[in-house]
Amino acid sequence: MFSYFSAVRVTPFLSRSTTNLMFMFFQINTCQTPLPQNTDNSCCFSTAKPSPKPPTVSASLSGPFRRMSGKLLRRLQRNTVALPPFIKLPSILSPKSHYSTSPHDLKIEPSLSESQDILFQFIPIRVSNTDVINLNERRRIVVALARMIKRGNGYLLEGFSRGFNPVSVAEIMLSFRDQVAAFGLFKLVFGVGNERNVVVKEGCRVAHMLAAKGLRYEAQDVLSWVVRRVGSGRGREIVELMWEEHWEYESDFSVLDSLMRAFMSAGTVSLALDVVRRMREVGLVPGLSAVNILLKMLVRVGDYSSVWKLLRDMVRKGPSPSNFTFTGLILWFCRKLYLEIGESLLHVMHKFGCEPDAYSYNVMINAYCCRGRTVDGMCLKEMMIERGCSPTFATFSTLISARCKEGNVIEARKVFDSMPEVGVSPSTSVYNALIDGYVKARKVDEASVLFGEMRSRGVNPDCVTFNILFRGHQKYGTQEDADRLLRDEVCSPLLPDFAIPDLLVASLCSAGDVDEGEAFLMEILERGLSVSVFAFNSVIAAYGREGLVDKAFIVYKSMVRYGHTLSSSTCSSLLLSLCNKGRIDEARDLMDYMIGGGFPLNKVAFTLLMDGYFSIGNVDAAQNVWQEMEERGISPDAVAFSAFVNGLSNAGYLQEAWGVFTEMRRRGLVPNNFVYNSLIYGFCNSGESRKAMELEKDMKHKDLIPDNHTKNIIINCFCKEGKMQSAIDAFKDMSTPDIVTYNTLINGYCKAPKFAGSDAFVNILQARDWEPDITTYNINIHGLCFTRRLNQAVKLLNELVSAGIIPDSVTYNTMLNAICRNKSEFAMTLTARLLKMALVPNVVTMNLLLSHFCKQGLPEKTLIWEQRLREIGFRFDDMTDKILDRANLSYQQAGTGISRGRQERNVFLDLLMYFHYDYFRRSIGFESRIPYVDLIDAG
């Protein structure tokens, strides 16, 4: 084992910074706490007591985490190679542990101060900013430096620390034997404190030296970075400089090929084309892989004439196009929505000596499915088999996923069952696609059966499999099944060891412990363990669902700092966080920026934004998003259609909703219960109960069983129309009514002339072992307040609190409305009691108070308080606008004076309004905003 003491004896000339680096290397290799450092230069080894270890993340978890800790601990002890012992998973799973720090207290920073930073001590140039490298590159540089010293090459660092020398930089990069670390060191040295002329000259020299030693990839990275650093305007200068001096280091082909790849990596396609022309002039043939990349970039920027010219030159002058060339062109043209060109290329490949393989067909099949042409994809699969090309698991995974997105799980299962006929065994991705389809169709039991079949066949599930099933059990199954899945999966020998951190982060977030999930993620990252982007997406998505915008973007920033790039799931989760918070305009701005920056957006992102516009009542903007999605060639799936139908139905646009529903079925997409329920709800709200009943019958004809939600909508429709007997008949047809059913009927009886009927249903509810919830109490309290029986409403409020049920904003607003209508002294006492409950008011509360000013003949007060609330940034809704219109009209008709008879009520309402105004003034003042577009740009 490497020893500090032997190293110090053998190499006594090592500097203090080198010795510090050796300590860090010992920590990395032995996973132990390093010896304490001295602040003076006398000795590196101190007899002082070591400083206490920084607190680690630990959480007091319950449920499956508590029960599985023992098994997981034993497993990790058996597999110490895959998971280093410094990953303190057992401490996180320990039932006795507790939080010692907040997740946001975790600092992703070097442990040394700037004056003691190892990297600073080796670089002779003053570095004021190390943002040119991310944390992953920084860690790999430190490890590479430590290993370099261990191999006895510390003299290179000693010489470089005395003064800047590009030759020394190249020698150190050569000794790293790590491309990422070598390139990171180059960026750190050349990224700050150097003029552009120095960067060009010395950077080209370093690139030559690397290429001379056979490190052409590193040389290409260096040249690409130099081009970005000085700008594409000096690209031709770089070409001439590299060409003039290249005979001492590398061949003609080597230097031109490196320049061509560097320009492409920097995004300067025109300069790369110039290099190709120069290669032709000196009699060289460009490399096939480099030309393929250039073709891709030309299609991406839309320079199609250069694409065909370059392809003709390949046929005439070389290099001859390969299967990969044609497959790449098919892929890139299909992504630009030119499916006809992709089809043509697929059918003319054989004329150039290239036969379409499985990859070529799969690209075209995927393009068909993404455009909603699944039938064409199925036909191409059959053609593929007829031509003697065997489908792969990717072929079936694409088709199964497309069928599931259409809502047609039955056809997806048929495709799955046909796989053995062509000799293809289902893979993990194939199972994931079908399991996801079952879950989205709310068939969790069938998904669980398929998962059991997957494991019995020896197919290893991954984190995606777990996440789909875990979320499915939570939404459509039971929490017990979700816990059992987590316990069995983490301790399963089929789960690869490297996937355990990803799985635990996802499970913590799915269980609602998002802060614990983030804390665990940050700790394992700080300790040097690599995790996939899946772990980051799990945390970002969880924060997005809860509307915690700031936290979601903070995790995104950490993801970028650790060298990960955005996926389509990341983009969708960031948009979801803004939409759930009601900040739709910011979500629109962010999406526009992502589209302009070429980020990977898909139909999920458009669906989220469209649904966000529906949630704030902006139907026109939602329809524009739908149209934009179609114009961009993104074919809506069943989920997108469902969201569109639901939004239009809720907004009262029933004719448009019916048209979208018809179009959905015309495209072969299968409407599910959610779509039918949305239409039934819309027709019920518009008073067309007959049309709603026809839709329920149509559901049954389509082999869809009306669920409780369907029945509850219909019962509520009957109750609104006063048809209580019809509501009772629909209730009797239900096999398992839920609490919503009883609450709907109770609400109907409360509004009906025979108010006593609600008590009977409360008794039925309790007799069937259903406990009244907060909605039940709110309905009865509202009925009592509506009939001015305030004393009985107060008694029911006391009963609610005694039962351990927490009153919500609906309870508060209902009682507050009754208080404003009551003129007795009892109202003042009840007001004080409500304020002591510390219930949270909302926009409905403010609308209620503003409307009471109008009802009391005080429209001028409505306008005054509305102005004050706007000054503090309070957000009103459409109902507020109606109240203000009425107040303006009343104010113009009645004048500005306040009569003496209304003075007493004016004081009371003013007092209530001030209490709520002060609450919002303080709470809105603490709301923070992050410039999210700038944050994405920095990433």
mmCIF file of all heavy atoms in Angstrom, residues 488-512:
data_model
loop_
_atom_site.group_PDB
_atom_site.id
_atom_site.type_symbol
_atom_site.label_atom_id
_atom_site.label_comp_id
_atom_site.label_asym_id
_atom_site.label_seq_id
_atom_site.Cartn_x
_atom_site.Cartn_y
_atom_site.Cartn_z
ATOM 1 N N ASP A 488 -38.558 -5.248 -1.634
ATOM 2 C CA ASP A 488 -38.110 -6.410 -2.395
ATOM 3 C C ASP A 488 -37.093 -6.023 -3.467
ATOM 4 O O ASP A 488 -36.146 -6.761 -3.730
ATOM 5 C CB ASP A 488 -39.307 -7.104 -3.049
ATOM 6 C CG ASP A 488 -40.266 -7.691 -2.026
ATOM 7 O OD1 ASP A 488 -39.855 -7.845 -0.856
ATOM 8 O OD2 ASP A 488 -41.426 -7.959 -2.386
ATOM 9 N N GLU A 489 -37.294 -4.847 -4.076
ATOM 10 C CA GLU A 489 -36.457 -4.480 -5.209
ATOM 11 C C GLU A 489 -35.046 -4.105 -4.785
ATOM 12 O O GLU A 489 -34.059 -4.504 -5.418
ATOM 13 C CB GLU A 489 -37.104 -3.325 -5.976
ATOM 14 C CG GLU A 489 -36.462 -3.015 -7.299
ATOM 15 C CD GLU A 489 -36.569 -4.155 -8.298
ATOM 16 O OE1 GLU A 489 -37.421 -5.051 -8.098
ATOM 17 O OE2 GLU A 489 -35.784 -4.164 -9.242
ATOM 18 N N VAL A 490 -34.933 -3.319 -3.717
ATOM 19 C CA VAL A 490 -33.604 -2.884 -3.281
ATOM 20 C C VAL A 490 -32.763 -4.070 -2.829
ATOM 21 O O VAL A 490 -31.553 -4.104 -3.033
ATOM 22 C CB VAL A 490 -33.743 -1.839 -2.157
ATOM 23 C CG1 VAL A 490 -32.393 -1.526 -1.548
ATOM 24 C CG2 VAL A 490 -34.349 -0.559 -2.718
ATOM 25 N N CYS A 491 -33.400 -5.043 -2.216
ATOM 26 C CA CYS A 491 -32.661 -6.205 -1.712
ATOM 27 C C CYS A 491 -32.588 -7.336 -2.728
ATOM 28 O O CYS A 491 -32.113 -8.415 -2.419
ATOM 29 C CB CYS A 491 -33.305 -6.703 -0.419
ATOM 30 S SG CYS A 491 -33.301 -5.479 0.904
ATOM 31 N N SER A 492 -33.078 -7.108 -3.945
ATOM 32 C CA SER A 492 -33.071 -8.158 -4.956
ATOM 33 C C SER A 492 -31.681 -8.325 -5.548
ATOM 34 O O SER A 492 -31.016 -7.338 -5.870
ATOM 35 C CB SER A 492 -34.078 -7.812 -6.059
ATOM 36 O OG SER A 492 -33.916 -8.679 -7.156
ATOM 37 N N PRO A 493 -31.215 -9.566 -5.743
ATOM 38 C CA PRO A 493 -29.902 -9.770 -6.385
ATOM 39 C C PRO A 493 -29.915 -9.416 -7.866
ATOM 40 O O PRO A 493 -28.858 -9.282 -8.469
ATOM 41 C CB PRO A 493 -29.657 -11.275 -6.179
ATOM 42 C CG PRO A 493 -31.017 -11.870 -6.016
ATOM 43 C CD PRO A 493 -31.847 -10.835 -5.329
ATOM 44 N N LEU A 494 -31.109 -9.243 -8.479
ATOM 45 C CA LEU A 494 -31.176 -8.877 -9.888
ATOM 46 C C LEU A 494 -30.829 -7.415 -10.115
ATOM 47 O O LEU A 494 -30.490 -7.033 -11.237
ATOM 48 C CB LEU A 494 -32.592 -9.155 -10.435
ATOM 49 C CG LEU A 494 -33.031 -10.622 -10.498
ATOM 50 C CD1 LEU A 494 -34.454 -10.720 -11.012
ATOM 51 C CD2 LEU A 494 -32.095 -11.425 -11.398
ATOM 52 N N LEU A 495 -30.927 -6.591 -9.082
ATOM 53 C CA LEU A 495 -30.641 -5.165 -9.244
ATOM 54 C C LEU A 495 -29.135 -4.941 -9.209
ATOM 55 O O LEU A 495 -28.466 -5.316 -8.248
ATOM 56 C CB LEU A 495 -31.311 -4.360 -8.134
ATOM 57 C CG LEU A 495 -31.151 -2.844 -8.224
ATOM 58 C CD1 LEU A 495 -31.938 -2.307 -9.404
ATOM 59 C CD2 LEU A 495 -31.603 -2.174 -6.932
ATOM 60 N N PRO A 496 -28.571 -4.335 -10.253
ATOM 61 C CA PRO A 496 -27.119 -4.069 -10.243
ATOM 62 C C PRO A 496 -26.747 -3.140 -9.091
ATOM 63 O O PRO A 496 -27.510 -2.248 -8.722
ATOM 64 C CB PRO A 496 -26.874 -3.399 -11.602
ATOM 65 C CG PRO A 496 -28.059 -3.744 -12.436
ATOM 66 C CD PRO A 496 -29.200 -3.901 -11.490
ATOM 67 N N ASP A 497 -25.549 -3.350 -8.546
ATOM 68 C CA ASP A 497 -25.128 -2.551 -7.393
ATOM 69 C C ASP A 497 -25.028 -1.063 -7.727
ATOM 70 O O ASP A 497 -25.350 -0.205 -6.914
ATOM 71 C CB ASP A 497 -23.771 -3.057 -6.881
ATOM 72 C CG ASP A 497 -23.885 -4.436 -6.254
ATOM 73 O OD1 ASP A 497 -24.977 -4.749 -5.741
ATOM 74 O OD2 ASP A 497 -22.907 -5.182 -6.285
ATOM 75 N N PHE A 498 -24.577 -0.742 -8.963
ATOM 76 C CA PHE A 498 -24.402 0.670 -9.301
ATOM 77 C C PHE A 498 -25.736 1.414 -9.397
ATOM 78 O O PHE A 498 -25.772 2.636 -9.392
ATOM 79 C CB PHE A 498 -23.638 0.802 -10.622
ATOM 80 C CG PHE A 498 -24.350 0.216 -11.813
ATOM 81 C CD1 PHE A 498 -25.337 0.937 -12.481
ATOM 82 C CD2 PHE A 498 -24.029 -1.046 -12.276
ATOM 83 C CE1 PHE A 498 -25.986 0.400 -13.581
ATOM 84 C CE2 PHE A 498 -24.679 -1.585 -13.373
ATOM 85 C CZ PHE A 498 -25.653 -0.868 -14.025
ATOM 86 N N ALA A 499 -26.841 0.652 -9.507
ATOM 87 C CA ALA A 499 -28.151 1.292 -9.635
ATOM 88 C C ALA A 499 -28.800 1.583 -8.285
ATOM 89 O O ALA A 499 -29.842 2.232 -8.234
ATOM 90 C CB ALA A 499 -29.090 0.420 -10.465
ATOM 91 N N ILE A 500 -28.203 1.108 -7.197
ATOM 92 C CA ILE A 500 -28.824 1.289 -5.880
ATOM 93 C C ILE A 500 -28.964 2.765 -5.506
ATOM 94 O O ILE A 500 -30.034 3.192 -5.055
ATOM 95 C CB ILE A 500 -28.040 0.503 -4.804
ATOM 96 C CG1 ILE A 500 -28.240 -0.996 -5.004
ATOM 97 C CG2 ILE A 500 -28.492 0.902 -3.407
ATOM 98 C CD1 ILE A 500 -27.518 -1.851 -4.000
ATOM 99 N N PRO A 501 -27.922 3.605 -5.672
ATOM 100 C CA PRO A 501 -28.119 5.022 -5.327
ATOM 101 C C PRO A 501 -29.238 5.684 -6.118
ATOM 102 O O PRO A 501 -30.061 6.411 -5.564
ATOM 103 C CB PRO A 501 -26.759 5.650 -5.645
ATOM 104 C CG PRO A 501 -25.781 4.523 -5.537
ATOM 105 C CD PRO A 501 -26.509 3.320 -6.026
ATOM 106 N N ASP A 502 -29.296 5.414 -7.433
ATOM 107 C CA ASP A 502 -30.373 5.976 -8.247
ATOM 108 C C ASP A 502 -31.734 5.517 -7.742
ATOM 109 O O ASP A 502 -32.691 6.293 -7.656
ATOM 110 C CB ASP A 502 -30.210 5.554 -9.709
ATOM 111 C CG ASP A 502 -29.021 6.219 -10.382
ATOM 112 O OD1 ASP A 502 -28.559 7.250 -9.855
ATOM 113 O OD2 ASP A 502 -28.559 5.707 -11.407
ATOM 114 N N LEU A 503 -31.817 4.240 -7.418
ATOM 115 C CA LEU A 503 -33.088 3.678 -6.969
ATOM 116 C C LEU A 503 -33.525 4.274 -5.638
ATOM 117 O O LEU A 503 -34.701 4.607 -5.438
ATOM 118 C CB LEU A 503 -32.957 2.154 -6.847
ATOM 119 C CG LEU A 503 -34.215 1.402 -6.385
ATOM 120 C CD1 LEU A 503 -35.344 1.617 -7.361
ATOM 121 C CD2 LEU A 503 -33.912 -0.074 -6.245
ATOM 122 N N LEU A 504 -32.591 4.437 -4.723
ATOM 123 C CA LEU A 504 -32.953 4.990 -3.415
ATOM 124 C C LEU A 504 -33.371 6.451 -3.516
ATOM 125 O O LEU A 504 -34.312 6.884 -2.850
ATOM 126 C CB LEU A 504 -31.772 4.833 -2.451
ATOM 127 C CG LEU A 504 -31.534 3.420 -1.935
ATOM 128 C CD1 LEU A 504 -30.308 3.380 -1.049
ATOM 129 C CD2 LEU A 504 -32.741 2.886 -1.183
ATOM 130 N N VAL A 505 -32.693 7.212 -4.350
ATOM 131 C CA VAL A 505 -33.103 8.605 -4.548
ATOM 132 C C VAL A 505 -34.511 8.651 -5.119
ATOM 133 O O VAL A 505 -35.371 9.422 -4.653
ATOM 134 C CB VAL A 505 -32.112 9.329 -5.482
ATOM 135 C CG1 VAL A 505 -32.653 10.702 -5.865
ATOM 136 C CG2 VAL A 505 -30.761 9.480 -4.816
ATOM 137 N N ALA A 506 -34.786 7.821 -6.114
ATOM 138 C CA ALA A 506 -36.115 7.802 -6.729
ATOM 139 C C ALA A 506 -37.181 7.362 -5.738
ATOM 140 O O ALA A 506 -38.284 7.915 -5.695
ATOM 141 C CB ALA A 506 -36.113 6.874 -7.946
ATOM 142 N N SER A 507 -36.863 6.354 -4.914
ATOM 143 C CA SER A 507 -37.852 5.859 -3.955
ATOM 144 C C SER A 507 -38.148 6.885 -2.873
ATOM 145 O O SER A 507 -39.297 7.056 -2.451
ATOM 146 C CB SER A 507 -37.362 4.552 -3.331
ATOM 147 O OG SER A 507 -36.124 4.751 -2.665
ATOM 148 N N LEU A 508 -37.125 7.586 -2.411
ATOM 149 C CA LEU A 508 -37.350 8.640 -1.423
ATOM 150 C C LEU A 508 -38.253 9.734 -1.984
ATOM 151 O O LEU A 508 -39.174 10.210 -1.310
ATOM 152 C CB LEU A 508 -36.017 9.234 -0.974
ATOM 153 C CG LEU A 508 -35.171 8.390 -0.018
ATOM 154 C CD1 LEU A 508 -33.758 8.961 0.080
ATOM 155 C CD2 LEU A 508 -35.797 8.315 1.359
ATOM 156 N N CYS A 509 -38.006 10.117 -3.219
ATOM 157 C CA CYS A 509 -38.822 11.175 -3.834
ATOM 158 C C CYS A 509 -40.240 10.687 -4.080
ATOM 159 O O CYS A 509 -41.205 11.427 -3.863
ATOM 160 C CB CYS A 509 -38.188 11.623 -5.153
ATOM 161 S SG CYS A 509 -36.578 12.418 -4.951
ATOM 162 N N SER A 510 -40.389 9.444 -4.527
ATOM 163 C CA SER A 510 -41.733 8.919 -4.777
ATOM 164 C C SER A 510 -42.531 8.782 -3.499
ATOM 165 O O SER A 510 -43.756 8.905 -3.495
ATOM 166 C CB SER A 510 -41.634 7.556 -5.478
ATOM 167 O OG SER A 510 -40.993 7.676 -6.723
ATOM 168 N N ALA A 511 -41.833 8.523 -2.385
ATOM 169 C CA ALA A 511 -42.508 8.388 -1.100
ATOM 170 C C ALA A 511 -42.832 9.733 -0.459
ATOM 171 O O ALA A 511 -43.409 9.787 0.621
ATOM 172 C CB ALA A 511 -41.652 7.554 -0.147
ATOM 173 N N GLY A 512 -42.461 10.828 -1.108
ATOM 174 C CA GLY A 512 -42.745 12.156 -0.578
ATOM 175 C C GLY A 512 -41.627 12.753 0.249
ATOM 176 O O GLY A 512 -41.727 13.902 0.695
#
